[in-house]
Amino acid sequence: MKTIFVLITLLSFSVIQAQEQKEISSEISDVVVYLKGAQVTRTANISVGSGKSTLLFKGLTPRLNSNSLQVAAGNGITILSVNHSIDYLESQKSDALAQKLVNRRDELQDSISLNKNTRQIYIKEQEMLISNQSIGGQQTGVNVEQLIRATDFFRQRLTEIEKTLFENNRTTLEMQRRLDKINRQLNELNARDDQPTSTIKVTISTNRPVSAPVELTYTVHDARWQPFYDIRVKDTDEPVTLVYKAKVFQSTDENWHNVNLTLSTGNPTISNYKPELQPWFLYPAPVRMPEVMETMSIVEDDVELNEELVIEDKEEARPIRIRGVSSLGKQNVTTVQQQTTTAFEIQIPYTIPSDNQGYDVAVSDHQVKADFQYATVPKRSPHVYLMAHISDWSELNLLPGQANIYFDQTYQGKTVLNPYSSEDTLNLSVGRDPGIIMERELQKDFSSKSFFGNNAKETKAWKITMRNSKNTKATVMVEDQYPVSTNSDIKVELEENSGAKVNPVTGMLNWTLHLAPGETKKLRFIYTVRYPKEMNLIIE
């Protein structure tokens, strides 16, 4: 009787213990993506009785940072502990497409193995027939009828085997091609089998039965976003439209399905500790006397340069402040200015699979006033480029990134925005304009080369012709150059410059031409170089 009572007590205790642990099903609801890394928030609703309970969040990514775990619960719930562990027995669940491909891959692998085994059976049969071609005994022989029947049998059966082997080989190759395609697609989807998962064990305590929401937050490293831009110019009389976009990448082994997405300019992976200076003591280095060696050899490959490199800590990400009207609408994007970072809260849910592919997210756009001007460098290019000069670009506090340029709805190419430049004006090359024609030619009548004594003298004359074939006026900035001497034996003289702005230090020549519709203007600059005639100089 006593034994029965003990068993009942133990069973009751086991039931109570089992009721204390609950496996919680959670969904990813919010994700904050940083320039490097992301913060993931999972939500769940729980119902627990009074006393202690253990909540198990299973099937999470094994890539989460356990030091970043945070749990928030509703009123009446006290969180006692949070523990993280890796579960190697329970693999991650693949998405529907990846799982379908995995199943098809496994079927093809089984079919290929079966085909190969069947092929080996037919090959063995073929070898057996070939090795047993003799009929009759050595003394009895065989009559003609038996020989004909045996020959027909061997021919028919060997032919059937060859056809079967041929068909088997063709089928196997076709299945192998399909298997290769599926494997490539699985690699594209970043799908992997038998990956471990994380389990988060949360111990809570309540004074009464409670039904409340629970939030689980953690960070992952395998996610990032990078800015890129669309620069759209409709007409030179209208402002430039600067569209701010982002590409979001993630390979966290968790798909983000219809999540509330926030893009932050922060970077939790960089150090936030201010560096400290230590006393800098100088000591005289001991003088090392050279050793006298009978034979000295120099092996250049073994020579090393030992340097002490001092690297100043530099913050990788700067905060950005975006002004203007959102391309998603004011109600769909909220810009939050924080002390050191800026966050863009995208109100439209986004789905970002864990495949490390870039997914575009629209952030905002700006109407920016720009001064337009044409520019050309005749020495380097025969084309004339439309330039947009944005003087108040520093107010945007942009991040570096690539930009697609569109002029009048036509794609012109790519450029790079570098907001960290020290220049006051952001210069953007919008594209080539064939309506303004430029020609640069050497005027041989004004160019010469002569010798006098030990010296040589060369004169070069260049003519630049600009013609505006457009029906609107145009302002063109022309850049060219003449050589600059760094040797006292070489003398350079600029004889004619057609009113250019001359920089004698760099040799740069700049003209600003105002061309009316159909107008043509010509520029000419001439320079002379004197140098010792034994000196080999190439002068253009």
Side-chain angles (χ1 to χ4, degrees):
M1 189 69 180
K2 184 176 180 180
T3 304
I4 295 175
F5 176 76
V6 171
L7 289 174
I8 293 175
T9 304
L10 290 175
L11 288 173
S12 301
F13 181 75
S14 300
V15 171
I16 293 173
Q17 288 292 95
Q19 290 176 349
E20 288 179 349
Q21 285 198 353
K22 282 195 171 185
E23 185 172 337
I24 305 301
S25 176
S26 62
E27 298 290 339
I28 298 177
S29 59
D30 300 85
V31 177
V32 179
V33 185
Y34 302 102
L35 295 175
K36 289 184 179 179
Q39 177 178 282
V40 178
T41 299
R42 285 180 168 271
T43 58
N45 292 312
I46 63 170
S47 295
V48 295
S50 60
K52 289 185 179 180
S53 300
T54 300
L55 310 179
L56 298 178
F57 294 85
K58 290 188 173 184
L60 309 186
T61 172
R63 298 171 179 264
L64 64 84
N65 181 3
S66 59
N67 295 323
S68 66
L69 280 170
Q70 299 180 70
V71 180
N75 294 331
I77 298 177
T78 302
I79 299 173
L80 302 179
S81 65
V82 179
N83 296 307
H84 168 255
S85 62
I86 298 294
D87 188 349
Y88 292 94
L89 299 179
E90 182 175 346
S91 301
Q92 286 184 319
K93 296 179 180 179
S94 303
D95 59 28
L97 176 59
Q99 188 59 49
K100 183 178 179 180
L101 291 174
V102 168
N103 294 339
R104 183 58 182 151
R105 181 198 63 187
D106 294 341
E107 292 175 0
L108 283 174
Q109 288 176 340
D110 292 342
S111 298
I112 290 173
S113 297
L114 181 61
N115 262 26
K116 289 182 177 180
N117 293 336
T118 304
R119 178 181 179 82
Q120 290 300 318
I121 293 174
Y122 278 104
I123 290 175
K124 292 294 184 181
E125 182 183 357
Q126 185 184 50
E127 293 174 352
M128 182 184 68
L129 290 174
I130 293 174
S131 61
N132 292 276
Q133 294 183 22
S134 60
I135 57 176
Q138 295 180 354
Q139 297 179 354
T140 59
V142 63
N143 58 39
V144 175
E145 184 179 353
Q146 289 177 329
L147 179 61
I148 292 174
R149 286 201 304 268
T151 303
D152 290 341
F153 170 76
F154 278 108
R155 183 191 309 110
Q156 180 180 358
R157 187 57 189 155
L158 289 175
T159 301
E160 291 175 356
I161 291 175
E162 286 294 338
K163 288 181 178 179
T164 303
L165 290 176
F166 176 80
E167 187 64 29
N168 178 282
N169 185 61
R170 187 174 64 177
T171 304
T172 302
L173 290 176
E174 178 61 29
M175 288 191 295
Q176 187 63 51
R177 280 194 290 267
R178 281 184 283 169
L179 179 62
D180 293 340
K181 290 181 180 179
I182 290 176
N183 285 330
R184 286 196 295 269
Q185 187 62 39
L186 286 173
N187 290 334
E188 187 72 16
L189 295 174
N190 200 31
R192 288 167 290 180
D193 295 335
D194 300 327
Q195 290 295 306
T197 59
S198 287
T199 297
I200 307 300
K201 182 186 294 185
V202 181
T203 304
I204 62 174
S205 176
T206 59
N207 296 325
R208 54 182 174 80
V210 173
S211 295
V214 174
E215 284 190 355
L216 176 65
T217 303
Y218 51 86
T219 62
V220 287
H221 296 299
D222 302 287
R224 60 189 174 91
W225 74 278
Q226 64 184 34
F228 73 101
Y229 308 91
D230 283 348
I231 299 174
R232 299 183 179 273
V233 179
K234 186 176 182 180
D235 193 87
T236 55
D237 296 330
E238 298 183 11
V240 172
T241 300
L242 180 63
V243 182
Y244 194 106
K245 295 183 179 181
K247 279 192 180 295
V248 180
F249 304 81
Q250 71 107 344
S251 56
T252 63
D253 291 341
E254 288 182 326
N255 293 325
W256 303 341
H257 182 67
N258 286 337
V259 299
N260 298 321
L261 194 64
T262 299
L263 305 177
S264 173
T265 61
N267 187 351
T269 64
I270 62 175
S271 173
N272 292 315
Y273 291 99
K274 181 182 74 69
E276 299 291 339
L277 291 176
Q278 300 297 329
W280 182 6
F281 300 105
L282 294 178
Y283 299 98
V287 179
R288 182 178 179 181
M289 299 300 295
E291 298 180 2
V292 179
M293 302 179 63
E294 295 181 359
T295 304
M296 182 176 67
S297 61
I298 299 177
V299 182
E300 295 183 357
D301 291 343
D302 293 336
V303 177
E304 295 183 356
L305 178 62
N306 296 322
E307 295 182 346
E308 182 178 357
L309 182 62
V310 179
I311 302 177
E312 180 182 357
D313 282 350
K314 184 175 181 181
E315 186 176 354
E316 295 184 12
R318 292 178 55 189
I320 64 175
R321 184 171 66 257
I322 299 299
R323 299 178 179 177
V325 180
S326 167
S327 57
L328 295 176
K330 290 184 178 180
Q331 71 277 11
N332 293 324
V333 176
T334 302
T335 303
V336 180
Q337 300 289 343
Q338 299 168 344
Q339 188 68 28
T340 59
T341 61
T342 300
F344 303 100
E345 297 178 355
I346 313 298
Q347 304 302 324
I348 297 177
Y350 269 85
T351 296
I352 311 292
S354 176
D355 56 8
N356 205 30
Q357 303 295 316
Y359 290 86
D360 292 354
V361 176
V363 179
S364 60
D365 60 50
H366 321 279
Q367 300 297 320
V368 184
K369 183 179 179 181
D371 296 324
F372 291 93
Q373 187 180 51
Y374 291 97
T376 182
V377 185
K379 184 179 179 180
R380 302 298 300 273
S381 172
H383 305 288
V384 178
Y385 299 85
L386 177 62
M387 305 293 295
H389 305 289
I390 302 174
S391 57
D392 58 348
W393 65 273
S394 59
E395 295 295 325
L396 301 176
N397 286 328
L398 304 174
L399 289 173
Q402 282 193 343
N404 300 316
I405 300 178
Y406 300 87
F407 182 67
D408 195 19
Q409 304 299 323
T410 302
Y411 177 71
Q412 300 292 328
K414 291 182 179 292
T415 187
V416 176
L417 286 185
N418 181 18
Y420 296 161
S421 173
S422 59
E423 298 181 1
D424 296 333
T425 302
L426 183 63
N427 300 315
L428 301 176
S429 179
V430 177
R432 302 174 182 179
D433 192 335
I436 301 179
I437 302 169
M438 184 276 298
E439 183 181 5
R440 183 182 191 259
E441 60 178 333
L442 179 66
Q443 292 187 294
K444 296 182 179 180
D445 294 341
F446 296 91
S447 302
S448 62
K449 183 175 183 179
S450 59
F451 298 93
F452 52 95
N454 294 326
N455 295 321
K457 174 185 175 182
E458 283 194 53
T459 300
K460 297 290 184 180
W462 292 95
K463 183 178 73 172
I464 300 173
T465 304
M466 303 294 305
R467 182 166 65 89
N468 181 14
S469 63
K470 300 165 66 71
N471 56 7
T472 58
K473 63 181 181 179
T475 300
V476 184
M477 183 177 66
V478 183
E479 301 177 25
D480 217 306
Q481 65 180 161
Y482 69 99
V484 178
S485 173
T486 58
N487 190 320
S488 59
D489 294 331
I490 302 174
K491 307 294 183 182
V492 180
E493 180 183 357
L494 181 63
E495 298 181 355
E496 184 179 340
N497 59 46
S498 295
K501 182 180 179 181
V502 182
N503 187 332
V505 177
T506 62
M508 296 299 174
L509 305 173
N510 291 277
W511 297 269
T512 301
L513 302 181
H514 301 282
L515 300 175
E519 184 180 6
T520 299
K521 288 188 177 181
K522 297 181 180 180
L523 303 172
R524 186 172 69 180
F525 64 99
I526 303 174
Y527 54 87
T528 298
V529 181
R530 295 179 175 86
Y531 57 93
K533 65 179 182 180
E534 68 273 7
M535 187 178 292
N536 185 19
L537 282 184
I538 299 176
I539 302 173
E540 295 182 354

